[in-house]
Amino acid sequence: MQTVGPVLPVLLFVICTAVLGLGLLVAANLLGPKRSSSVKRMPYESGMDPIHDTRRRFNVRFHLLAVAFLVFDVELLFLYPWAVTLHRPAVEHSAPAQPVIAAGPATNVESLAKGSASSGLEPLRLRPPYLFAGGMVFVGLLTLGLVYDWRKGIFEWR
């Protein structure tokens, strides 16, 4: 039978957060003001009072701007790991922890990692200049997309 040693801190954390969350909800319900009015019961959306029916059509420019925002938001998600990878110091050829791309059919993974002559293949390692160039191509393509959107007038709200 296994001990609960490694699981115990996680279990205590989950229990403490559940108790704290429920305690705060109960305290807010007991101690909070209970004044209700017609304004408080009215639906509310993004800081604007609802004037029209909720099923009205939105302008297509709203959707174009939303998609453009998502594209550039996802760009940042790809740039963070790229920047972290570039920040690491270069790894020497003798380090087996570096990922290896074989130049031909592999027979033994250990011999590829060491670059030994028994496999007849020299390991190819990705170097930071290639990583930097790949990231710059990515940023360049996104910049072209931004220029295209700008020229099409997506960012002008009429």
Side-chain angles (χ1 to χ4, degrees):
M1 189 160 149
Q2 289 183 335
T3 62
V4 280
V7 179
L8 189 61
V10 175
L11 184 62
L12 286 174
F13 179 72
V14 168
I15 290 171
C16 288
T17 54
V19 168
L20 179 66
L22 289 174
L24 289 173
L25 286 174
V26 168
N29 196 11
L30 292 176
L31 302 174
K34 298 189 180 33
R35 293 176 296 239
S36 182
S37 66
S38 61
V39 174
K40 286 188 178 183
R41 288 190 299 266
M42 188 171 66
Y44 183 74
E45 180 77 32
S46 301
M48 300 184 66
D49 293 331
I51 298 170
H52 302 1
D53 184 23
T54 57
R55 289 178 176 79
R56 70 172 189 210
R57 292 185 178 198
F58 284 99
N59 189 348
V60 72
R61 292 185 180 279
F62 171 78
H63 299 289
L64 292 174
L65 186 63
V67 169
F69 170 76
L70 286 175
V71 166
F72 293 107
D73 192 38
V74 171
E75 169 196 1
L76 289 177
L77 292 175
F78 285 113
L79 287 180
Y80 282 128
W82 173 72
V84 169
T85 303
L86 282 179
H87 184 66
R88 290 184 183 156
V91 179
E92 295 295 323
H93 275 292
S94 61
Q98 177 91 7
V100 175
I101 302 171
T107 56
N108 188 350
V109 174
E110 293 163 1
S111 65
L112 282 175
K114 294 178 184 174
S116 67
S118 64
S119 68
L121 298 174
E122 184 66 29
L124 301 174
R125 302 193 191 287
L126 293 175
R127 296 314 229 156
Y130 298 122
L131 292 175
F132 182 75
M136 287 296 106
V137 167
F138 178 68
V139 170
L141 288 173
L142 285 168
T143 303
L144 283 176
L146 176 67
V147 169
Y148 176 79
D149 288 345
W150 199 314
R151 294 198 68 181
K152 285 291 185 180
I154 289 177
F155 302 118
E156 294 175 12
W157 199 262
R158 295 182 195 129

